[in-house]
């Protein structure tokens, strides 16, 4: 008799615990954040992780009555790993959002999983134009290379640069950058003397820099992914290109805020176009840079801003659905959303799910002992030009 009632009580307790567990699980929204935390692109992972943490610190860890739980996974920058981690996060952890994606191949590998699982996939870094076309559940808070490259192409054409060699990392975003620059620059009367593509893995720039020298252009237009600019700048100086009279121009990936001070004075006067500079003169950005620097002990770069705005999109879409988590409802809420980012005004293009944003023309200048990309011209609210040109 006693025995039976104890068993009954145990059973009742187990049932209650189970129900409470289920209720708690329902009240949490899980975000599977997949980033390269190790390997050659770990700086991207570190910047985005710090930005996600900062967003939650400044905005609270719950929204619309739901606790936000971020599950961070390291893919080491390897696409097969990203895909497997995404699959596990959707199937086993039942995440309601996928986020991160530090490089184009990692985002492309995951797109089918977002589609099958109907899970919103927030691309915070990868920047090849075609990515958002790979799943209707992808929304991007970073940028596209064509979106930013046309700014520097226009600047070059207007500033007595007639002959250019392009030098880009040989994969999606590099080829996008090369095509966008070339199309825009040659349409304005400029000439491409050579188009060079450098391997993405362990790049040795020396033979390519020699070819740049031999072609003797007015400028070399460069795209390398975030973090790689440091070794590029080192070899640029070692090969004497800094004293050759050939100007260095590019998208802002090469003068990345994370590494700019380490690149040194060779960057002084370098003109680039990009969507974010830590020196962007707005109150929202100053507060962001201060808080980020205090929390993470480093300067935020464009990757950090992509991560910060990605979290903003997750929070605001949940607010709009009053905490409901279906992929379709969340996507509907994200489309057309606009806000003031540390980079300036932004909105999500309802047609393409890409971010519409200002593109700034910037020049590297010294302030005290610090190097900054100082914005001096703005092209307002630019859409990805590749998709805008499609019927
Ligand atoms: C990509 C990666 C970068 O680090 C960058 O600066 C731009 C684009 C990419 O792989 O899409």
């Amino acid at each position: 008799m006693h025995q039976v009632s104890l068993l009954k009580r145990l059973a009742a307790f187990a049932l209650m615990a189970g129900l409470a567990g289920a209720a708690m699980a329902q009240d949490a929204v899980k975000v599977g954040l997949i980033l390269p935390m190790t390997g050659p692109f770990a700086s991207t992972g570190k910047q985005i992780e710090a930005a996600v943490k900062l967003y939650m610190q400044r905005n609270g860890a719950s929204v619309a009555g739901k606790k936000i739980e971020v599950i961070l996974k390291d893919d080491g920058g390897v696409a097969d790993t990203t895909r497997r981690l995404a699959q596990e996060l959707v199937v086993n952890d039942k995440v309601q959002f996928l986020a991160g994606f530090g490089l184009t191949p990692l985002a492309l590998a995951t797109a089918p999983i977002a589609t099958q699982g109907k899970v919103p996939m927030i691309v915070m870094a990868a920047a090849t134009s075609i990515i958002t076309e790979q799943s209707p559940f992808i929304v991007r808070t970073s940028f596209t290379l064509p979106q930013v490259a046309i700014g520097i192409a226009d600047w070059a054409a207007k500033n007595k640069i007639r002959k250019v060699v392009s030098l880009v990392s040989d994969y999606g975003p590099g080829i996008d950058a090369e095509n966008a620059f070339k199309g825009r620059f040659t349409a304005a009367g400029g000439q491409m003397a050579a188009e060079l593509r450098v391997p993405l893995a362990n790049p040795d720039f020396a033979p390519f820099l020699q070819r740049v020298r031999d072609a003797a252009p007015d400028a070399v237009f460069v795209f390398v992914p975030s973090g790689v600019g440091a070794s590029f700048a080192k070899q640029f100086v070692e090969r004497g290109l800094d004293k050759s009279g050939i100007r260095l121009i590019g998208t802002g990936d090469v003068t990345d805020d994370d590494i700019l001070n380490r690149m040194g004075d060779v960057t002084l006067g370098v003109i680039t176009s990009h969507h974010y500079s830590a020196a962007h003169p707005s109150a929202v950005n100053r507060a962001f840079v201060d808080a980020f620097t205090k929390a993470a002990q480093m300067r935020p770069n464009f990757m950090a801003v992509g991560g910060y705005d990605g979290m903003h999109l997750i929070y605001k879409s949940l607010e709009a659905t009053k905490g409901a988590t279906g992929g379709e409802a969340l996507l509907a809420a994200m489309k057309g959303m606009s806000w003031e980012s540390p980079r300036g005004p932004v909105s999500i293009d309802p047609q393409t799910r890409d971010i519409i944003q200002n593109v700034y023309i910037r020049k590297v200048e010294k302030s005290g002992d610090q190097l900054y990309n100082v914005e001096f011209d703005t092209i307002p609210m630019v859409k990805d030009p590749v998709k805008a040109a499609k019927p």
Side-chain angles (χ1 to χ4, degrees), residues 44 102-105 125-128 143 145 171 173 223-226 253 302-303:
T44 294
L103 294 154
T104 288
T128 302
F143 68 110
L145 263 304
Y171 78 122
F223 165 79
V224 289
S226 181
D253 308 74
F302 61 96
M303 292 302 185

PDB file of all heavy atoms in Angstrom, residues 44 102-105 125-128 143 145 171 173 223-226 253 302-303, ligand 1:
ATOM      1  N   THR A  44      36.339  36.456 -38.205  1.00  0.00           N
ATOM      2  CA  THR A  44      34.931  36.699 -38.540  1.00  0.00           C
ATOM      3  C   THR A  44      34.023  36.131 -37.448  1.00  0.00           C
ATOM      4  O   THR A  44      33.086  36.784 -36.984  1.00  0.00           O
ATOM      5  CB  THR A  44      34.602  36.055 -39.909  1.00  0.00           C
ATOM      6  OG1 THR A  44      35.339  36.745 -40.916  1.00  0.00           O
ATOM      7  CG2 THR A  44      33.129  36.128 -40.232  1.00  0.00           C
ATOM      8  N   GLY A 102      29.941  32.562 -42.135  1.00  0.00           N
ATOM      9  CA  GLY A 102      31.104  33.428 -42.268  1.00  0.00           C
ATOM     10  C   GLY A 102      31.692  33.525 -43.654  1.00  0.00           C
ATOM     11  O   GLY A 102      32.466  34.446 -43.927  1.00  0.00           O
ATOM     12  N   LEU A 103      31.357  32.586 -44.528  1.00  0.00           N
ATOM     13  CA  LEU A 103      31.906  32.599 -45.890  1.00  0.00           C
ATOM     14  C   LEU A 103      30.831  32.079 -46.851  1.00  0.00           C
ATOM     15  O   LEU A 103      29.978  31.275 -46.461  1.00  0.00           O
ATOM     16  CB  LEU A 103      33.118  31.666 -46.000  1.00  0.00           C
ATOM     17  CG  LEU A 103      34.363  32.047 -45.203  1.00  0.00           C
ATOM     18  CD1 LEU A 103      35.176  30.807 -44.878  1.00  0.00           C
ATOM     19  CD2 LEU A 103      35.215  33.054 -45.972  1.00  0.00           C
ATOM     20  N   THR A 104      30.931  32.494 -48.103  1.00  0.00           N
ATOM     21  CA  THR A 104      29.939  32.108 -49.106  1.00  0.00           C
ATOM     22  C   THR A 104      29.694  30.599 -49.213  1.00  0.00           C
ATOM     23  O   THR A 104      28.543  30.168 -49.193  1.00  0.00           O
ATOM     24  CB  THR A 104      30.324  32.717 -50.474  1.00  0.00           C
ATOM     25  OG1 THR A 104      30.078  34.122 -50.405  1.00  0.00           O
ATOM     26  CG2 THR A 104      29.544  32.106 -51.620  1.00  0.00           C
ATOM     27  N   PRO A 105      30.750  29.759 -49.316  1.00  0.00           N
ATOM     28  CA  PRO A 105      30.471  28.312 -49.480  1.00  0.00           C
ATOM     29  C   PRO A 105      29.692  27.725 -48.292  1.00  0.00           C
ATOM     30  O   PRO A 105      28.936  26.769 -48.470  1.00  0.00           O
ATOM     31  CB  PRO A 105      31.870  27.682 -49.568  1.00  0.00           C
ATOM     32  CG  PRO A 105      32.788  28.795 -49.942  1.00  0.00           C
ATOM     33  CD  PRO A 105      32.197  30.055 -49.388  1.00  0.00           C
ATOM     34  N   ALA A 125      27.281  37.370 -42.657  1.00  0.00           N
ATOM     35  CA  ALA A 125      28.612  37.690 -43.176  1.00  0.00           C
ATOM     36  C   ALA A 125      28.728  37.464 -44.689  1.00  0.00           C
ATOM     37  O   ALA A 125      29.121  38.371 -45.423  1.00  0.00           O
ATOM     38  CB  ALA A 125      29.672  36.866 -42.444  1.00  0.00           C
ATOM     39  N   ALA A 126      28.434  36.250 -45.143  1.00  0.00           N
ATOM     40  CA  ALA A 126      28.702  35.871 -46.536  1.00  0.00           C
ATOM     41  C   ALA A 126      28.050  36.857 -47.503  1.00  0.00           C
ATOM     42  O   ALA A 126      26.944  37.335 -47.258  1.00  0.00           O
ATOM     43  CB  ALA A 126      28.200  34.465 -46.795  1.00  0.00           C
ATOM     44  N   ALA A 127      28.729  37.158 -48.631  1.00  0.00           N
ATOM     45  CA  ALA A 127      28.346  38.335 -49.409  1.00  0.00           C
ATOM     46  C   ALA A 127      28.347  38.154 -50.926  1.00  0.00           C
ATOM     47  O   ALA A 127      28.429  39.129 -51.673  1.00  0.00           O
ATOM     48  CB  ALA A 127      29.245  39.510 -49.015  1.00  0.00           C
ATOM     49  N   THR A 128      28.254  36.900 -51.410  1.00  0.00           N
ATOM     50  CA  THR A 128      28.079  36.701 -52.854  1.00  0.00           C
ATOM     51  C   THR A 128      26.616  36.948 -53.202  1.00  0.00           C
ATOM     52  O   THR A 128      25.717  36.509 -52.470  1.00  0.00           O
ATOM     53  CB  THR A 128      28.493  35.271 -53.243  1.00  0.00           C
ATOM     54  OG1 THR A 128      29.849  35.069 -52.849  1.00  0.00           O
ATOM     55  CG2 THR A 128      28.376  35.048 -54.742  1.00  0.00           C
ATOM     56  N   PHE A 143      25.969  42.256 -46.731  1.00  0.00           N
ATOM     57  CA  PHE A 143      26.051  43.123 -47.907  1.00  0.00           C
ATOM     58  C   PHE A 143      26.267  42.213 -49.102  1.00  0.00           C
ATOM     59  O   PHE A 143      26.340  40.995 -48.940  1.00  0.00           O
ATOM     60  CB  PHE A 143      27.206  44.124 -47.756  1.00  0.00           C
ATOM     61  CG  PHE A 143      28.607  43.526 -47.778  1.00  0.00           C
ATOM     62  CD1 PHE A 143      29.475  43.747 -48.850  1.00  0.00           C
ATOM     63  CD2 PHE A 143      29.069  42.756 -46.725  1.00  0.00           C
ATOM     64  CE1 PHE A 143      30.760  43.218 -48.868  1.00  0.00           C
ATOM     65  CE2 PHE A 143      30.358  42.207 -46.736  1.00  0.00           C
ATOM     66  CZ  PHE A 143      31.197  42.439 -47.804  1.00  0.00           C
ATOM     67  N   LEU A 145      28.957  41.990 -52.596  1.00  0.00           N
ATOM     68  CA  LEU A 145      30.146  42.620 -53.189  1.00  0.00           C
ATOM     69  C   LEU A 145      29.786  43.582 -54.312  1.00  0.00           C
ATOM     70  O   LEU A 145      30.328  44.701 -54.361  1.00  0.00           O
ATOM     71  CB  LEU A 145      31.141  41.544 -53.642  1.00  0.00           C
ATOM     72  CG  LEU A 145      32.261  41.251 -52.646  1.00  0.00           C
ATOM     73  CD1 LEU A 145      33.053  42.504 -52.274  1.00  0.00           C
ATOM     74  CD2 LEU A 145      31.708  40.633 -51.367  1.00  0.00           C
ATOM     75  N   TYR A 171      36.985  33.088 -55.556  1.00  0.00           N
ATOM     76  CA  TYR A 171      35.724  32.387 -55.218  1.00  0.00           C
ATOM     77  C   TYR A 171      34.597  33.409 -55.295  1.00  0.00           C
ATOM     78  O   TYR A 171      34.846  34.574 -55.630  1.00  0.00           O
ATOM     79  CB  TYR A 171      35.839  31.678 -53.867  1.00  0.00           C
ATOM     80  CG  TYR A 171      35.724  32.512 -52.614  1.00  0.00           C
ATOM     81  CD1 TYR A 171      34.739  32.239 -51.662  1.00  0.00           C
ATOM     82  CD2 TYR A 171      36.597  33.567 -52.359  1.00  0.00           C
ATOM     83  CE1 TYR A 171      34.629  32.975 -50.490  1.00  0.00           C
ATOM     84  CE2 TYR A 171      36.487  34.304 -51.184  1.00  0.00           C
ATOM     85  CZ  TYR A 171      35.501  34.014 -50.266  1.00  0.00           C
ATOM     86  OH  TYR A 171      35.390  34.744 -49.121  1.00  0.00           O
ATOM     87  N   PRO A 173      32.611  35.761 -53.840  1.00  0.00           N
ATOM     88  CA  PRO A 173      32.607  37.210 -53.640  1.00  0.00           C
ATOM     89  C   PRO A 173      33.686  37.938 -54.447  1.00  0.00           C
ATOM     90  O   PRO A 173      33.474  39.070 -54.889  1.00  0.00           O
ATOM     91  CB  PRO A 173      32.848  37.375 -52.126  1.00  0.00           C
ATOM     92  CG  PRO A 173      33.371  36.080 -51.650  1.00  0.00           C
ATOM     93  CD  PRO A 173      32.854  35.030 -52.590  1.00  0.00           C
ATOM     94  N   PHE A 223      39.965  42.801 -53.823  1.00  0.00           N
ATOM     95  CA  PHE A 223      39.059  42.183 -52.848  1.00  0.00           C
ATOM     96  C   PHE A 223      39.746  40.974 -52.229  1.00  0.00           C
ATOM     97  O   PHE A 223      40.171  40.059 -52.948  1.00  0.00           O
ATOM     98  CB  PHE A 223      37.731  41.706 -53.463  1.00  0.00           C
ATOM     99  CG  PHE A 223      37.020  40.773 -52.495  1.00  0.00           C
ATOM    100  CD1 PHE A 223      36.299  41.289 -51.420  1.00  0.00           C
ATOM    101  CD2 PHE A 223      37.148  39.392 -52.597  1.00  0.00           C
ATOM    102  CE1 PHE A 223      35.707  40.442 -50.478  1.00  0.00           C
ATOM    103  CE2 PHE A 223      36.562  38.540 -51.657  1.00  0.00           C
ATOM    104  CZ  PHE A 223      35.835  39.064 -50.595  1.00  0.00           C
ATOM    105  N   VAL A 224      39.884  40.989 -50.920  1.00  0.00           N
ATOM    106  CA  VAL A 224      40.235  39.783 -50.157  1.00  0.00           C
ATOM    107  C   VAL A 224      39.261  39.724 -48.987  1.00  0.00           C
ATOM    108  O   VAL A 224      38.773  40.760 -48.536  1.00  0.00           O
ATOM    109  CB  VAL A 224      41.690  39.817 -49.615  1.00  0.00           C
ATOM    110  CG1 VAL A 224      42.697  39.668 -50.744  1.00  0.00           C
ATOM    111  CG2 VAL A 224      41.958  41.070 -48.802  1.00  0.00           C
ATOM    112  N   PRO A 225      38.933  38.510 -48.486  1.00  0.00           N
ATOM    113  CA  PRO A 225      37.983  38.438 -47.378  1.00  0.00           C
ATOM    114  C   PRO A 225      38.549  39.023 -46.090  1.00  0.00           C
ATOM    115  O   PRO A 225      39.767  39.185 -45.934  1.00  0.00           O
ATOM    116  CB  PRO A 225      37.691  36.942 -47.234  1.00  0.00           C
ATOM    117  CG  PRO A 225      38.741  36.235 -47.982  1.00  0.00           C
ATOM    118  CD  PRO A 225      39.317  37.189 -48.981  1.00  0.00           C
ATOM    119  N   SER A 226      37.637  39.322 -45.173  1.00  0.00           N
ATOM    120  CA  SER A 226      37.968  39.935 -43.888  1.00  0.00           C
ATOM    121  C   SER A 226      39.136  39.217 -43.210  1.00  0.00           C
ATOM    122  O   SER A 226      39.144  37.992 -43.109  1.00  0.00           O
ATOM    123  CB  SER A 226      36.726  39.871 -42.982  1.00  0.00           C
ATOM    124  OG  SER A 226      36.982  40.471 -41.744  1.00  0.00           O
ATOM    125  N   ASP A 253      36.672  45.497 -47.497  1.00  0.00           N
ATOM    126  CA  ASP A 253      37.127  44.240 -46.884  1.00  0.00           C
ATOM    127  C   ASP A 253      38.631  44.245 -46.661  1.00  0.00           C
ATOM    128  O   ASP A 253      39.135  43.623 -45.734  1.00  0.00           O
ATOM    129  CB  ASP A 253      36.737  43.054 -47.783  1.00  0.00           C
ATOM    130  CG  ASP A 253      35.271  43.053 -48.159  1.00  0.00           C
ATOM    131  OD1 ASP A 253      34.870  43.889 -49.011  1.00  0.00           O
ATOM    132  OD2 ASP A 253      34.522  42.261 -47.609  1.00  0.00           O
ATOM    133  N   PHE A 302      32.978  45.322 -40.012  1.00  0.00           N
ATOM    134  CA  PHE A 302      31.699  45.133 -40.716  1.00  0.00           C
ATOM    135  C   PHE A 302      31.067  43.785 -40.409  1.00  0.00           C
ATOM    136  O   PHE A 302      29.856  43.632 -40.503  1.00  0.00           O
ATOM    137  CB  PHE A 302      31.867  45.361 -42.222  1.00  0.00           C
ATOM    138  CG  PHE A 302      32.838  44.422 -42.901  1.00  0.00           C
ATOM    139  CD1 PHE A 302      32.388  43.285 -43.547  1.00  0.00           C
ATOM    140  CD2 PHE A 302      34.202  44.688 -42.905  1.00  0.00           C
ATOM    141  CE1 PHE A 302      33.260  42.429 -44.189  1.00  0.00           C
ATOM    142  CE2 PHE A 302      35.104  43.830 -43.543  1.00  0.00           C
ATOM    143  CZ  PHE A 302      34.629  42.695 -44.173  1.00  0.00           C
ATOM    144  N   MET A 303      31.853  42.794 -40.016  1.00  0.00           N
ATOM    145  CA  MET A 303      31.286  41.506 -39.639  1.00  0.00           C
ATOM    146  C   MET A 303      30.467  41.646 -38.355  1.00  0.00           C
ATOM    147  O   MET A 303      29.373  41.093 -38.238  1.00  0.00           O
ATOM    148  CB  MET A 303      32.406  40.486 -39.439  1.00  0.00           C
ATOM    149  CG  MET A 303      33.134  40.112 -40.720  1.00  0.00           C
ATOM    150  SD  MET A 303      31.944  39.439 -41.908  1.00  0.00           S
ATOM    151  CE  MET A 303      33.039  38.954 -43.235  1.00  0.00           C
TER     152      MET A 303
HETATM  153  C1  LIG B   1      32.945  36.827 -47.784  1.00  0.00           C
HETATM  154  C2  LIG B   1      33.815  36.712 -46.719  1.00  0.00           C
HETATM  155  C3  LIG B   1      34.453  37.817 -46.225  1.00  0.00           C
HETATM  156  O1  LIG B   1      35.302  37.728 -45.181  1.00  0.00           O
HETATM  157  C4  LIG B   1      34.233  39.073 -46.810  1.00  0.00           C
HETATM  158  O2  LIG B   1      34.895  40.135 -46.308  1.00  0.00           O
HETATM  159  C5  LIG B   1      33.373  39.198 -47.858  1.00  0.00           C
HETATM  160  C6  LIG B   1      32.722  38.075 -48.359  1.00  0.00           C
HETATM  161  C7  LIG B   1      32.266  35.625 -48.327  1.00  0.00           C
HETATM  162  O3  LIG B   1      32.844  34.533 -48.266  1.00  0.00           O
HETATM  163  O4  LIG B   1      31.137  35.750 -48.825  1.00  0.00           O
END
